[in-house]
Amino acid sequence: MLGNHTGLSPLTADDNIKSPALKAMAHLKVFKSVTERTAAIKRASAQIQSDDRYWAETFASRLTDEGVEATEAQLISLRAAAAVRDPEVATLLRETNAMGEDPYVGKVTKGIMAADESFSRKLRDNKIDSDQAWVRVALSHFFRRDPDSIFQMFVINAASQLVHKVWLGGVNGLARWAIERLDEMKVPDTAKGYLVVLDGMRSKGGWFLHDSTEDDIKIVDEAMDMYRKATGNEDDIAAQNSVAAAVYSLIFERRDAARAIGLMSALAKRVGHANWVLYGRTGDQGTYTQLIRIPSDDPAEARKIAQKMPEVTMQNDIRGLQEFLETNAPEESPQDA
């Protein structure tokens, strides 16, 4: 369940959280001198117990005791934790994407909306970058914040607005970092495929596909049949893209990645190909999506190929992306026709 987790591996004598914390303090302009910053970090870190799995929370709390604002203390602690426990931090941040139906997501969203009218208005009007919504839930989960506390949600919201001070690329950079760190982790034994989702100009996420349920397969079949009847278009690729549009919407508009991956897993099984790139963008005329096959049957190999993909900055780059995927197909896997 989101909002609670088993924490991070306890700190050891070899872990240096002081250097990244000091850099984050400097970027945030906390205190006036290096001497003050160093002393505050030293005193705060000295209070972390050797068996404390929630030391990131402890460090942030002790920094506030040293006179650091709560908003800045969380960002300093996050930056320090990412420096010494990057795969673990990435897992905690990104697992919110796989649990879109968890009640905690809705509670945090409501809490943030109560704390920030501007955010609330943009969210209601669907005019907010999905990463901006994600980071607020991710930080709340990481620091195990109480969504019913207006103060805690206020702090999380303020911290989200300052991520750019401590992270290259800001919130979007943090999201990409988490994806890249997760890409270094072991492929789950249950993985049946791999999906990379590109939203407009930014690479947004990568997910492993899994065994599909009969209910999801039925939904996919019915959706493609409805598309064919409604449009009179019998083209299979067009019907598949109609399902892809629903997957895209679930991820970026409804923030329900778990449901999206269920449908995409079913579509992959129905089509008979495991690994995909889903490109999408939203404009005045609605949402455009395109599915592109990653020419490999192996999820691990597909992930390696996806890591090397060039940035897509405009629609014309899609052809270049297709050419890249074709030329980087593994020799042991036949290319799809």
Side-chain angles (χ1 to χ4, degrees), residues 20-299:
L22 188 61
K23 290 179 181 178
M25 270 192 172
H27 289 308
L28 290 165
K29 294 182 170 57
V30 174
F31 302 136
K32 294 182 178 180
S33 69
V34 175
T35 300
E36 289 179 284
R37 294 165 186 161
T38 302
I41 292 170
K42 184 177 180 179
R43 288 191 293 265
S45 60
Q47 298 180 64
I48 299 173
Q49 301 299 313
S50 60
D51 60 348
D52 187 357
R53 296 190 63 88
Y54 299 104
W55 58 263
E57 296 172 43
T58 301
F59 188 40
S61 180
R62 298 293 78 81
L63 284 172
T64 61
D65 293 341
E66 297 295 328
V68 180
E69 294 289 340
T71 295
E72 296 164 334
Q74 288 187 1
L75 291 174
I76 294 165
S77 182
L78 174 68
R79 185 75 260 190
V84 297
R85 295 289 183 273
D86 54 342
E88 296 178 47
V89 173
T91 298
L92 291 175
L93 294 178
R94 291 305 300 187
E95 69 185 5
T96 57
N97 264 5
M99 302 176 71
E101 295 180 338
D102 192 293
Y104 186 76
V105 175
K107 290 181 179 179
V108 169
T109 302
K110 289 180 180 178
I112 296 294
M113 291 174 72
D116 185 345
E117 175 58 31
S118 175
F119 177 86
S120 176
R121 184 171 57 256
K122 290 178 181 178
L123 193 62
R124 286 196 302 267
D125 295 340
N126 196 27
K127 292 182 178 179
I128 194 163
D129 187 304
S130 60
D131 281 349
Q132 291 291 339
W134 161 78
V135 75
R136 287 160 170 80
V137 177
L139 291 181
S140 296
H141 174 56
F142 181 77
F143 287 108
R144 299 189 302 163
R145 301 295 86 180
D146 178 4
D148 293 327
S149 168
I150 293 295
F151 173 73
Q152 291 188 24
M153 292 298 96
F154 177 83
V155 171
I156 287 292
N157 188 58
S160 300
Q161 295 171 340
L162 292 178
V163 168
H164 66 281
K165 297 277 189 180
V166 299
W167 214 282
L168 183 64
V171 169
N172 300 132
L174 177 61
R176 285 193 296 271
W177 172 86
I179 294 167
E180 291 167 359
R181 295 293 82 74
L182 283 180
D183 280 346
E184 297 171 1
M185 299 179 68
K186 182 179 181 294
V187 177
D189 294 335
T190 57
K192 301 298 181 182
Y194 189 68
L195 174 69
V196 180
V197 183
L198 305 177
D199 175 37
M201 292 176 62
R202 297 180 301 273
S203 174
K204 286 289 187 178
W207 289 268
F208 286 106
L209 304 180
H210 49 69
D211 276 326
S212 53
T213 67
E214 291 300 322
D215 287 343
D216 282 338
I217 292 175
K218 182 180 179 181
I219 291 172
V220 166
D221 287 342
E222 290 177 349
M224 291 197 293
D225 286 342
M226 287 177 60
Y227 173 83
R228 294 184 181 104
K229 291 177 182 179
T231 64
N233 188 346
E234 295 295 323
D235 182 60
D236 286 340
I237 294 178
Q240 292 161 18
N241 273 310
S242 71
V243 176
V247 171
Y248 177 90
S249 175
L250 281 167
I251 292 175
F252 296 115
E253 295 173 10
R254 303 183 189 179
R255 294 173 295 282
D256 190 353
R259 189 79 190 96
I261 297 311
L263 292 180
M264 191 63 210
S265 296
L267 179 62
K269 183 174 183 179
R270 180 57 75 212
V271 174
H273 187 75
N275 304 303
W276 297 87
V277 173
L278 169 56
Y279 170 82
R281 73 175 191 276
T282 301
D284 295 337
Q285 297 181 346
T287 299
Y288 167 86
T289 57
Q290 182 174 350
L291 278 172
I292 306 170
R293 297 187 181 205
I294 299 177
S296 171
D297 296 324
D298 179 13

